[in-house]
Amino acid sequence: MRHLQLLLLLLCAASHTGALTHAADVGREVRVDRIEISGVTVLSATEVESTLELTVGEALDRQKIMKSFESLRTLYRNKGYESAVVKAQMSRIAGEAVLALSIDEGLPTRVAKITFQAGELRDDFDSDRWDQLIRDLDQKTREFELGVHELEKVSGINRLIKEMLAAEDYIGVRVDEQVTEESPPTVTGTVPAAGRWVGLRFRIFPGE
């Protein structure tokens, strides 16, 4: 699993660091006058802004910025963009202290295939019922193949399995999920760009 690289290029209060070179900033607390975000295409500005611990008017706080980066890392990973890179730079523009966040989202992780396997089946769960369940699941989850590996979509498949088994009067269903490394799929038409291809394997335990 690739992790989001956190590249913090914060300009400190000492001029020799190349950070805040304005003489008036040396030796005093620096407050953020403006926050600028660039490079975001797959998330809304509201989603990104909701991860920021630091707000305009606050003193520059490295801990809050690192927490913001961790929240951004989680947000992008859950959306399937695990190789995204975030850069932060503090500079003074027209007398204002500006914190600029630049995001290189990279290519997403995509789903090459989805498979379903039986765990421990009850004696009355015969092979014909299982085969029909697999066919139904294959059809209902086909739309997820080639798509971005998003946590919300994986959770949706998990819920679908449990709902379909609940309709068969099974309770206590357990689903174990496994992510496998895969090669780019061979399909008719254009294969979408991806930084990584994975397979989703769901092992199903029908319960009682």
Side-chain angles (χ1 to χ4, degrees):
M1 178 75 69
R2 296 175 190 153
H3 296 293
L4 184 70
Q5 301 174 43
L6 306 181
L7 302 180
L8 182 58
L9 305 178
L10 288 179
L11 305 180
C12 308
S15 59
H16 69 272
T17 63
L20 290 175
T21 56
H22 196 283
D25 292 315
V26 178
R28 71 174 178 83
E29 184 179 67
V30 176
R31 293 190 175 275
V32 178
D33 296 314
R34 191 165 81 242
I35 298 175
E36 296 181 348
I37 303 172
S38 63
V40 179
T41 63
V42 300
L43 303 174
S44 69
T46 300
E47 285 179 303
V48 175
E49 289 169 2
S50 69
T51 67
L52 302 181
E53 297 278 338
L54 192 67
T55 59
V56 171
E58 285 191 81
L60 191 62
D61 186 319
R62 183 178 184 277
Q63 185 176 9
K64 285 188 175 183
I65 292 176
M66 294 307 294
K67 286 182 179 179
S68 298
F69 278 7
E70 179 60 24
S71 296
L72 270 173
R73 183 188 76 84
T74 300
L75 181 60
Y76 269 104
R77 183 182 65 230
N78 290 346
K79 291 290 186 178
Y81 285 76
E82 56 191 9
S83 62
V85 175
V86 178
K87 296 180 182 179
Q89 186 167 1
M90 192 73 187
S91 59
R92 187 162 290 282
I93 302 175
E96 290 188 322
V98 180
L99 176 62
L101 296 181
S102 175
I103 302 172
D104 180 358
E105 295 172 328
L107 293 174
T109 297
R110 291 185 178 275
V111 178
K113 64 179 181 180
I114 301 173
T115 57
F116 303 95
Q117 296 179 340
E120 298 174 2
L121 298 180
R122 283 174 28 175
D123 293 338
D124 62 344
F125 200 98
D126 59 50
S127 59
D128 289 339
R129 290 178 68 194
W130 174 253
D131 290 343
Q132 183 60 51
L133 175 67
I134 292 300
R135 286 193 293 270
D136 291 343
L137 284 170
D138 282 339
Q139 178 150 6
K140 291 179 181 294
T141 59
R142 196 168 299 156
E143 63 182 286
F144 295 109
E145 294 184 351
L146 305 185
V148 177
H149 180 217
E150 296 184 47
L151 179 62
E152 184 177 348
K153 292 180 180 179
V154 175
S155 298
I157 295 175
N158 195 313
R159 287 194 301 271
L160 174 64
I161 294 170
K162 292 178 179 178
E163 289 170 0
M164 290 178 67
L165 283 169
E168 297 281 341
D169 295 326
Y170 287 94
I171 59 175
V173 178
R174 190 178 95 240
V175 181
D176 291 346
E177 304 164 9
Q178 183 181 5
V179 178
T180 60
E181 296 291 335
E182 300 291 338
S183 300
T186 302
V187 297
T188 302
T190 303
V191 176
R196 177 182 173 221
W197 287 94
V198 298
L200 301 181
R201 183 180 300 155
F202 296 88
R203 196 165 185 226
I204 305 169
F205 299 83
E208 299 299 327

